[in-house]
Amino acid sequence: MNNFNLHLPTQLCFGKDQHKELSKLIPANSKVLLLYGGGSIKRNGIYEKVIRELTSFDVIEFGGIEANPQYSTLLQALEVIKTQQINFMLAVGGGSVIDGTKFLASAALYSGDNSWDILEKGQRTEIGLPFGTVLTLPATGSEMNSGAVISRKETGQKLTMGGPGLFPLFSIADPCVVASLPQRQLANGIADAFTHVMEQYMTYPTSASLQDRISEGILSTLIDIAPKVMSEPENFEVAANFMWCCNMALNGIIQKGVPTDWSIHAIGHEITAAYGIDHARTLAIVLPSMYRYKIEKKETKLAQYGRRVLGISGDSRKVAELAIDQTEDFFRSLGISTKLSEYNVDNLSSFPQSCVNAMEKQRNIILGEHKDIRSADVLSILEAVI
Ligand code: NZQ
Ligand code: ZN
C-alpha cells in the first residue's frame, strides 16, 4: 500500500431535514452569497426550505450557473462577491453549482491578473473563501471533495482544479431531494458514481485489500439499487443508499494508498467540451472502450471485479471480457447510450485534435495508471465507439 495523507475536513450533515442546521453551520455575521443553477430549486421547494433558515444573515442571490459551469458566468458572480464584500458562499445545487462555487472560492482570494490561470496553469488553491453546500443531486461527490471542473466555451476547454482550500466547510445531504430528479439525472448520477469507483479501482492488483473491498461494496450496491432508484426515486431508503454511494465514491477514501487511472474522465471532459454531451454519458461511452483497449494490463483487476461484483466464473480473460460487456449493459439498462453515433457524432473529424493534443502536450498529461495513453490511443479508443 502506498503512503497517504487523509484529511476530510467537510462536516457532512446527512439525512432528512438537515437543512434546519444551516443557521448554526454558517458562521455568525456572514454576508452570504446564495448560488444556484437554472431554477430547479425554485420549482421543487428546496429554495424555500433553505431561505427560511437564512433569516439571520444578510443574503444576496446569484442564479443561473449552468450544467458544466461556465467561466463567463462565474466571472459575473465574482464581481458580486467583490462589490458586495461577500465573506461566505452557500451553493445550492448539483456538481455544477458546487464546482462553480469552488472556482469562486479560489478566484475571490486569487492575487494574479487572470483567474483562468488557476485552471490553465493548474494552480492549487491552498486557501479559499469559505463556503457550504446544499446538495440537490447525488452524483459527483463534489459536496465533500476538493476538486472542481470548469468550462469555457469560447476556447472549447473543460479543465479541472483543486487544492485543500476547496473543501466545503459543511454539506447538507438530504436524500429527499432525489424524489424531484428527472430520470436523465438519476441515470447520470448512478453512472458517474459507478465510474468514479472504477477509476480508482480498475488498475492493477496491489495489497490494498480494504480499498478493493470498499470499492466492490459501492459497485455492488449501485448495481443492486439502480433499478429502484430509477423507478422509485421517492423511496427514502433507496435514495439514502444512492446518495451515500455517490459520496463514498469520490470523498477521497477509496483512492488512498492505491494507484488511480482517471483517463476515462480526462477523455470524457474533452467530449463534453467538444459536443456538450452530459458528463456521465461521456463516461459510459469511454469506459467500455477503454477497458477493451487496455485489457492486457487491466485483466487481473477486471477478472476480480467480474468474479466478486458480477458473479462471473471462468478463466480470467473470459471473465474480464464478460465483465466489460456486462458493465456496458448496466449503463444501457439505465437508458444511457454508449456509442458516440447515438449522440449524433458519426465520425471523429469533428473531434478537435486540439483537445487531444491539449491533454498530452500543453498540460503535459499522459493518461492512465501506467502513463501510457497518448493522443493516438485516445483516438483509437474513440474510433471503436463511433
Ligand atoms: O440548473 P438547475 O435548474 O438546478 O438544474 C439541474 C441541471 O440542469 C438539475 N437538477 C439538479 N438538482 C435537481 C435538478 N433537477 C431537479 N431536481 C433537483 N433536485 O440537474 C441538471 C444537472 O445538474 P449538474 O449540477 O450539472 O449535474 P451533476 O451533479 O451531474 O454535475 C455535473 C458537473 O460536475 C462535474 C462534471 O464535469 C459536470 O461539470 N464533476 C465534478 C466532480 C467533482 N467536483 O468532484 C467530479 C465529476 O467527475 C464531474 O467531473
Ligand atoms: Zn465524474
Side-chain angles (χ1 to χ4, degrees):
M1 200 185 301
N2 301 330
N3 290 1
F4 63 84
N5 285 316
L6 178 62
H7 181 61
L8 302 178
T10 302
Q11 182 175 352
L12 185 71
C13 301
F14 188 97
K16 242 173 226 165
D17 292 334
Q18 289 282 14
H19 60 277
K20 292 190 174 152
E21 300 299 310
L22 275 171
S23 60
K24 285 179 246 156
L25 291 165
I26 299 172
N29 303 319
S30 292
K31 184 159 185 188
V32 179
L33 184 63
L34 173 71
L35 295 133
Y36 60 92
S40 69
I41 63 164
K42 297 215 167 161
R43 293 187 292 276
N44 58 24
I46 296 172
Y47 173 82
E48 286 302 321
K49 282 184 172 179
V50 168
I51 208 81
R52 225 178 286 144
E53 305 303 322
L54 302 182
T55 49
S56 56
F57 300 96
D58 188 358
V59 180
I60 292 176
E61 295 182 21
F62 185 92
I65 297 177
E66 0 9 40
N68 306 308
Q70 287 295 328
Y71 179 61
S72 57
T73 306
L74 298 170
L75 287 182
Q76 295 167 33
L78 187 58
E79 196 55 33
V80 177
I81 290 171
K82 291 191 168 156
T83 54
Q84 299 290 332
Q85 288 155 355
I86 298 292
N87 57 15
F88 193 84
M89 295 180 292
L90 183 64
V92 185
S96 294
V97 174
I98 299 175
D99 283 9
T101 304
K102 288 177 178 175
F103 169 78
L104 294 170
S106 178
L109 304 187
Y110 184 63
S111 54
D113 299 333
N114 178 2
S115 55
W116 188 247
D117 284 350
I118 300 168
L119 291 128
E120 191 145 49
K121 296 189 176 162
Q123 292 171 352
R124 277 168 67 77
T125 303
E126 299 298 332
I127 300 172
L129 191 69
F131 67 98
T133 88
V134 177
L135 180 67
T136 67
L137 195 176
T140 61
S142 188
E143 72 277 10
M144 207 170 144
N145 66 40
S146 60
V149 195
I150 306 299
S151 297
R152 190 172 185 182
K153 54 176 176 296
E154 303 77 33
T155 54
Q157 288 167 293
K158 181 171 184 183
L159 301 179
T160 57
M161 59 186 285
L166 299 181
F167 283 105
L169 181 64
F170 63 81
S171 281
I172 307 286
D174 179 347
C176 295
V177 300
V178 173
S180 67
L181 286 168
Q183 291 281 301
R184 169 175 164 184
Q185 301 305 337
L186 294 169
N188 284 355
I190 296 166
D192 193 21
F194 196 90
T195 309
H196 291 160
V197 179
M198 292 295 246
E199 296 269 37
Q200 300 161 90
Y201 165 87
M202 195 56 72
T203 56
Y204 49 84
T206 68
S207 61
S209 311
L210 180 60
Q211 287 90 327
D212 274 5
R213 292 289 187 184
I214 298 173
S215 296
E216 289 156 3
I218 301 168
L219 297 171
S220 301
T221 308
L222 283 168
I223 291 170
D224 280 354
I225 64 174
K228 281 204 164 168
V229 170
M230 299 301 292
S231 63
E232 297 174 37
E234 68 292 345
N235 178 327
F236 180 84
E237 295 306 327
V238 172
N241 279 293
F242 173 37
M243 194 171 246
W244 186 223
C245 279
C246 293
N247 182 285
M248 281 296 293
L250 201 51
N251 64 13
I253 289 178
I254 62 171
Q255 75 183 9
K256 294 300 169 186
V258 298
T260 57
D261 180 346
W262 294 112
S263 59
I264 298 162
H265 270 70
I267 299 169
H269 291 331
E270 301 300 340
I271 296 176
T272 300
Y275 305 114
I277 299 171
D278 289 356
H279 169 65
R281 286 163 201 255
T282 67
L283 308 177
I285 294 166
V286 179
L287 183 147
S289 187
M290 173 66 74
Y291 291 171
R292 287 185 186 113
Y293 192 78
K294 300 299 286 181
I295 196 161
E296 302 286 342
K297 294 207 168 145
K298 289 185 186 284
E299 179 181 310
T300 312
K301 233 27 208 305
L302 278 165
Q304 178 179 319
Y305 157 71
R307 293 191 182 102
R308 290 187 184 176
V309 177
L310 303 174
I312 309 170
S313 54
D315 73 83
S316 288
R317 175 54 70 101
K318 195 74 213 156
V319 174
E321 285 169 359
L322 284 173
I324 300 169
D325 292 348
Q326 289 188 19
T327 306
E328 184 166 4
D329 291 346
F330 174 60
F331 291 142
R332 297 190 80 89
S333 76
L334 303 170
I336 295 183
S337 302
T338 55
K339 301 278 179 267
L340 276 168
S341 49
E342 294 171 291
Y343 298 88
N344 299 321
V345 179
D346 295 318
N347 60 69
L348 289 182
S349 60
S350 59
F351 189 72
Q353 184 63 35
S354 59
C355 288
V356 183
N357 293 343
M359 286 191 279
E360 184 172 327
K361 292 194 186 113
Q362 292 166 15
R363 290 187 288 128
N364 202 23
I365 295 173
I366 298 169
L367 304 171
E369 68 274 20
H370 300 291
K371 296 273 171 261
D372 58 356
I373 302 171
R374 294 166 177 273
S375 308
D377 303 294
V378 173
L379 288 175
S380 301
I381 288 159
L382 293 178
E383 263 155 19
V385 284
I386 287 290

